[in-house]
Amino acid sequence: MGIESTSGVFNDIEWKQAMLASIVESSEDAIISKTLESIITSWNQSAERLFGYTEEEVLGKHISILLPADRLNEEEVIIKSIIAGDRIDHFQTVRRKKDGSLVDISLTVSPVRNNAGEIIGASKIARDISIQVAMEARLTQANIELQKSNLYKDEFIGLLGHELRTPLTSVKACIQLMREWPERIGELTNKADKQVNRMTNLLVELVDFAKSQAGRLEINTVPTSATEFINNAIETVQQSHPEHAIRYESEHQDLLLNVDALRMEQVVINLLTNAIKYSPGATEVIVRSAREGEVFHVSVQDFGMGIPQAEVENIWNRFYRVKGHRANFKGLGLGLHLCRQLISLHKGRIWVESTEGTGSVFHFTLPIN
């Protein structure tokens, strides 16, 4: 081979090497090479962008500077695979940046051989997959929420069927008994009337819930006597539950609040009904109201079973009922959810204080001005 031919071969090799170097530097992926002892020997610009270290900071350093403490064993596994001549494709893992933050990456590692075919190191390509991982996590969470929603839906439909079937059966029985014992028509009419009211309340809850889900739950506020809507609610519940004593203690002169009177009665009725429902061994409920600066504070105290602390925040969720009591108490699990919605529409606040075994106190406040 002549001098010119030899020169042409060297020029071709140099051109290819330059092209390869250019590709490595312009790659959007981090491309790093290392020895079999895991010492970094090359580091492209994308590696600098991804991990935050300059080439001068990492050359000659051990690759473990990129590994979180709980993943140090991964390097040993990778090097063993490389020595065995195996290639690692799209290994999803986590690496640590210079600033200490973690980044999700997809790692491809290949053996590097010398002219004799001996493995002398490894070349790794690291791709940032943080967005992909985050999207997968969101999709997974959305799928979990969808499954939970479907379970809630199925449980809700079954519960609704049961809740409507029971009063309908009772009303039908009352009508039948009226035919057989006309002398008991007054008693039986009252029983049927209670069951019709129960169905009406269920349907009102359903309609309100549907409106709240669609963002169409509305209030019509007018100046209203605070004492009046509380007393109206107490009277309504007391008539349905004569076995309970509902005591009202107020620490203020009557106030005019800019509220939707019917909606506020609905809130107090829900709280009173819940207080009685979850106090099967008690016979007293106390309602208190007071002016506290620029807010009106109402509380409903029962002496029942209370709420476990782990479930206190869950009670405001739709369809939720305290675990262990679902089969024992009637209702759709919408009452407290709607109370929170209505108080929020009035620019107020609602919360609960409860001790398991001794009872609960539900509070809400409304702005006076």
Side-chain angles (χ1 to χ4, degrees):
M1 181 181 292
I3 294 175
E4 290 184 4
S5 297
T6 303
S7 175
V9 170
F10 279 117
N11 287 338
D12 188 47
I13 292 173
E14 289 172 358
W15 182 82
K16 288 181 179 178
Q17 288 176 334
M19 282 292 294
L20 182 59
S22 175
I23 291 170
V24 168
E25 281 305 311
S26 62
S27 172
E28 293 184 0
D29 295 326
I31 300 177
I32 305 164
S33 61
K34 60 186 178 182
T35 68
L36 295 179
E37 290 74 35
S38 300
I39 301 301
I40 299 171
T41 56
S42 73
W43 184 266
N44 73 345
Q45 290 181 1
S46 289
E48 181 176 335
R49 287 192 296 270
L50 178 58
F51 297 111
Y53 292 100
T54 64
E55 186 177 33
E56 292 76 15
E57 289 176 305
V58 295
L59 289 185
K61 299 287 181 64
H62 196 278
I63 198 71
S64 60
I65 65 171
L66 302 179
L67 275 68
D70 61 344
R71 292 180 180 267
L72 291 174
N73 65 314
E74 289 182 2
E75 181 61 16
E76 182 181 351
V77 174
I78 290 171
I79 289 297
K80 283 183 178 178
S81 297
I82 293 301
I83 291 174
D86 297 329
R87 171 187 168 97
I88 297 171
D89 280 318
H90 306 299
F91 171 50
Q92 290 195 16
T93 184
V94 177
R95 290 295 180 258
R96 185 179 59 204
K97 297 183 180 183
K98 181 180 179 179
D99 62 9
S101 63
L102 301 179
V103 58
D104 295 293
I105 65 168
S106 173
L107 200 59
T108 297
V109 189
S110 305
V112 173
R113 302 175 186 271
N114 61 15
N115 291 335
E118 300 168 332
I119 296 173
I120 59 171
S123 173
K124 62 191 294 183
I125 300 174
R127 175 169 295 176
D128 185 351
I129 57 169
S130 300
I131 295 176
Q132 175 187 332
V133 169
M135 288 180 65
E136 288 174 354
R138 284 197 292 271
L139 286 172
T140 299
Q141 185 60 38
N143 188 48
I144 292 171
E145 292 299 322
L146 179 61
Q147 291 177 1
K148 284 171 62 178
S149 178
N150 286 335
L151 286 173
Y152 276 134
K153 180 193 69 176
D154 294 341
E155 183 179 356
F156 174 70
I157 290 173
L159 183 63
L160 177 60
H162 172 75
E163 289 292 325
L164 288 175
R165 190 182 305 115
T166 302
L168 281 171
T169 302
S170 181
V171 169
K172 187 175 181 181
C174 287
I175 293 172
Q176 182 64 34
L177 290 172
M178 286 178 197
R179 294 194 184 106
E180 297 178 11
W181 290 295
E183 67 276 9
R184 294 178 57 191
I185 193 167
E187 171 198 347
L188 294 170
T189 300
N190 288 336
K191 287 184 177 180
D193 188 53
K194 286 183 180 180
Q195 297 303 321
V196 170
N197 287 338
R198 180 178 163 191
M199 285 188 288
T200 301
N201 291 335
L202 287 172
L203 292 173
V204 167
E205 278 194 353
L206 280 174
V207 171
D208 283 345
F209 173 68
K211 287 180 178 179
S212 72
Q213 292 300 102
R216 293 188 291 106
L217 186 61
E218 298 176 349
I219 57 173
N220 298 308
T221 60
V222 294
T224 302
S225 162
T227 303
E228 184 177 344
F229 75 71
I230 293 175
N231 279 325
N232 287 345
I234 291 173
E235 183 180 345
T236 299
V237 177
Q238 188 72 83
Q239 287 176 353
S240 302
H241 301 275
E243 72 284 358
H244 276 74
I246 304 175
R247 193 166 84 240
Y248 179 31
E249 301 174 357
S250 64
E251 301 175 8
H252 59 87
Q253 293 182 337
D254 195 15
L255 296 171
L256 283 181
L257 303 177
N258 202 38
V259 297
D260 186 319
L262 291 177
R263 290 302 194 181
M264 291 314 306
E265 284 182 30
Q266 183 181 351
V267 169
V268 178
I269 288 171
N270 270 333
L271 296 181
L272 286 171
T273 303
N274 261 20
I276 292 171
K277 181 193 300 185
Y278 291 101
S279 304
T283 59
E284 184 181 34
V285 176
I286 302 174
V287 181
R288 296 183 178 91
S289 64
R291 176 171 184 160
E292 297 175 358
E294 295 304 309
V295 297
F296 181 62
H297 183 182
V298 179
S299 66
V300 177
Q301 180 179 7
D302 66 60
F303 302 91
M305 59 187 61
I307 306 166
Q309 283 304 306
E311 299 192 54
V312 166
E313 281 306 309
N314 295 327
I315 64 172
W316 309 103
N317 297 339
R318 57 185 183 176
F319 311 138
Y320 189 84
R321 289 183 298 166
V322 176
K323 293 177 181 176
H325 304 305
R326 296 185 181 191
N328 302 328
F329 298 101
K330 299 171 183 176
L332 300 176
L334 292 175
L336 291 178
H337 176 77
L338 289 170
C339 283
R340 174 171 274 189
Q341 298 285 318
L342 290 171
I343 293 296
S344 176
L345 286 173
H346 282 87
K347 310 299 183 186
R349 175 174 169 250
I350 188 168
W351 72 98
V352 64
E353 297 170 347
S354 186
T355 302
E356 193 171 7
T358 61
S360 305
V361 185
F362 282 83
H363 303 263
F364 68 84
T365 57
L366 297 169
I368 290 176
N369 297 322

